[in-house]
Amino acid sequence: MTLPAQIYVSFDFTSGATFGYGFTLDDAKYGLLDTGTLANNSNPEPTVDLTPDVYSISIRRGRNIMRDTYEAGSATVRVLDSLSYFNPQNTLSPYFGFLTPLRKLRVSASISGTDYYLFSGYTTEYKYTYPQGQETGYVDIICTDAFRLMQQATVITVADATAGQATGTRIGKILDQVSWPASMRTIDTGDTTCQVDPGTSRTTLDAIKNAEFSEQGAFYIDSEGTANFLSRTNVIKKYGETPIEFDQTTGIPYTNLVFAFDDKLIINSAGMTIVGGTQQVAEDAASITKYFSHQLNESNLVAQTNADALNIAQIYVATRAETTIRIDAMTVDLLDPDVPTATMLALDYFSNLKITNVQPDGSTIVKTLQAQGLDWNITPNSMKVTVTTLEPIVEGFILDSSISGIIDTNILAY
């Protein structure tokens, strides 16, 4: 069966353990001048097209629902290895000497001349399997996105991280500290200001996530490998965009809805403390009476003032004090002729999804949610994506919105 899009897997051996992708002719993103970085000319095998030998691809990216944070994306690409090219001791292999961890791998899909990236990251492990009695062995190339590398890089003093700096500017300074390429970042300025960098030893990722949480924004690595930071204002605005409709009759078909109705995501009491500040507490008394106390405490935030800490506590509780029936995930089969391939390939975090589901008794559940995770499973005969769906991670009043623009119902952001 023919897949609805042409899948490509490229393996880049250039430049050593560095961020960034080498300049690649005809590449939709990194074949552009002033975008791709120039590769190391001493490497005679800069980029390899693995596509003809790929047997399966599994990609997992998204927000951890329970931990309420973005986590490192991962991918496993299974490659048939009939000529033992992936044996690192095979001196006849064209890859000999280049098969090391932390090389760059990208998965893309092309349809009607447009390329969509599904994953961009770095190899962490090669799992070799050469079964006896079988002619062809295979290798699972296991990869992660840049979050893992940021978690391994320690920062102490962030240069030029001064008091009064906006959160997006602070994140930019942290990225500068680990030489993250300017061409691979899209960073909003941010709405909250930071105090001077505390100068403590922490991972790069922890330092960034502190600024992200202080903003109540969103920092993540997208499918192109770009570091993205959305300010609180722009996170809220995303929920006002026109949703893509999924249903069992006129919209995009789906299967395997994962329903949940529980107290796991409720937070009705929050204590937030900045570095050198005093704890600021916000509570929702009605929610506590209804559900008992569900508390969260965060400390050592780099927000500038105690007033900032109180705002963080208030908006966090206001967004999470209530619960309703959830749709945590759904699966879409791109081999279904009623599924628009380009629409599904273009999905990423914060895409709005209106999901309509008719229950066996004839009642209807309708939820407008946001995509916050994409798990792709691709073989020569199948192409499916499971979408993690969530309520907005930060709520705020959106003018003229039928969902978030209701006076005396929707909350006002700060």
Side-chain angles (χ1 to χ4, degrees):
M1 183 177 292
T2 303
L3 297 182
Q6 177 63 53
I7 305 299
Y8 296 98
V9 178
S10 62
F11 200 167
D12 182 356
F13 294 112
T14 62
S15 301
T18 61
F19 299 120
Y21 290 84
F23 182 86
T24 306
L25 284 175
D26 301 323
D27 187 280
K29 182 173 178 64
Y30 296 105
L32 303 176
L33 290 176
D34 300 322
T35 301
T37 58
L38 293 180
N40 182 346
N41 290 331
S42 65
N43 191 333
E45 191 69 53
T47 304
V48 174
D49 180 9
L50 295 181
T51 308
D53 298 318
V54 170
Y55 179 75
S56 65
I57 300 168
S58 175
I59 297 168
R60 184 178 180 85
R61 299 175 54 241
R63 192 173 183 89
N64 185 306
I65 292 177
M66 297 306 301
R67 294 183 60 196
D68 199 17
T69 188
Y70 294 102
E71 296 191 332
S74 61
T76 299
V77 177
R78 177 163 291 184
V79 177
L80 300 180
D81 192 23
S82 59
L83 298 176
S84 195
Y85 280 172
F86 279 88
N87 177 354
Q89 295 184 325
N90 180 6
T91 58
L92 299 180
S93 168
Y95 313 147
F96 181 72
F98 303 118
L99 287 170
T100 61
L102 299 181
R103 302 308 91 175
K104 301 158 195 152
L105 184 143
R106 303 170 67 205
V107 180
S108 62
S110 180
I111 179 172
S112 301
T114 301
D115 293 330
Y116 301 88
Y117 292 99
L118 305 183
F119 178 82
S120 299
Y122 306 85
T123 62
T124 59
E125 186 178 359
Y126 304 87
K127 287 190 174 180
Y128 303 89
T129 304
Y130 296 103
Q132 290 185 350
Q134 296 186 25
E135 293 183 0
T136 303
Y138 58 87
V139 177
D140 287 336
I141 305 174
I142 300 172
C143 311
T144 185
D145 69 19
F147 261 24
R148 182 177 185 271
L149 304 186
M150 291 179 183
Q151 185 62 27
Q152 293 177 324
T154 299
V155 295
I156 299 177
T157 301
V158 178
D160 300 322
T162 56
Q165 204 166 60
T167 48
T169 304
R170 175 62 55 85
I171 288 172
K173 297 297 183 182
I174 299 168
L175 292 174
D176 290 343
Q177 200 78 14
V178 292
S179 301
W180 184 266
S183 62
M184 292 180 62
R185 57 175 90 170
T186 302
I187 309 295
D188 286 348
T189 300
D191 304 312
T192 296
T193 56
C194 301
Q195 56 185 282
V196 66
D197 181 73
T200 56
S201 179
R202 69 231 115 117
T203 71
T204 300
L205 187 60
D206 285 342
I208 290 173
K209 283 188 170 292
N210 190 324
E212 173 199 36
F213 191 88
S214 295
E215 170 72 19
Q216 288 295 288
F219 179 81
Y220 58 92
I221 304 297
D222 68 17
S223 57
E224 293 185 354
T226 300
N228 286 261
F229 174 65
L230 294 180
S231 68
R232 179 174 62 257
T233 294
N234 284 334
V235 167
I236 292 169
K237 284 182 178 179
K238 285 286 185 181
Y239 196 52
E241 296 176 358
T242 303
I244 303 165
E245 296 203 17
F246 293 79
D247 64 41
Q248 299 141 312
T249 52
T250 59
I252 300 173
Y254 57 81
T255 60
N256 300 334
L257 281 189
V258 178
F259 288 103
F261 189 30
D262 52 45
D263 69 341
K264 292 179 181 178
L265 304 186
I266 294 174
I267 298 293
N268 49 33
S269 177
M272 304 293 171
T273 310
I274 63 171
V275 176
T278 57
Q279 188 182 59
Q280 305 296 303
V281 177
E283 294 184 335
D284 187 306
S287 176
I288 292 173
T289 299
K290 189 175 182 180
Y291 302 117
F292 295 97
S293 179
H294 291 64
Q295 190 168 22
L296 174 79
N297 294 310
E298 295 287 345
S299 59
N300 295 318
L301 300 177
V302 294
Q304 193 165 22
T305 67
N306 285 326
D308 291 328
L310 182 59
N311 282 330
I312 295 168
Q314 289 173 337
I315 199 168
Y316 201 87
V317 167
T319 300
R320 295 163 176 81
E322 262 301 336
T323 188
T324 182
I325 189 168
R326 301 197 311 271
I327 297 174
D328 287 347
M330 66 177 175
T331 300
V332 178
D333 186 349
L334 275 73
L335 266 63
D336 187 325
D338 292 325
V339 172
T341 303
T343 299
M344 296 308 300
L345 292 175
L347 282 187
D348 207 344
Y349 305 156
F350 297 101
S351 295
N352 291 328
L353 318 172
K354 183 179 180 181
I355 304 172
T356 302
N357 182 259
V358 179
Q359 299 290 293
D361 64 356
S363 62
T364 301
I365 295 174
V366 180
K367 299 286 290 186
T368 298
L369 305 167
Q370 290 185 319
Q372 290 290 359
L374 297 162
D375 295 358
W376 288 93
N377 287 283
I378 304 170
T379 72
N381 298 308
S382 65
M383 187 173 183
K384 295 182 179 181
V385 59
T386 297
V387 184
T388 298
T389 55
L390 284 172
E391 304 282 354
I393 61 174
V394 179
E395 290 187 24
F397 190 87
I398 302 174
L399 194 64
D400 298 327
S401 170
S402 61
I403 299 174
S404 298
I406 304 172
I407 295 176
D408 296 329
T409 297
N410 298 119
I411 66 174
L412 295 176
Y414 65 100

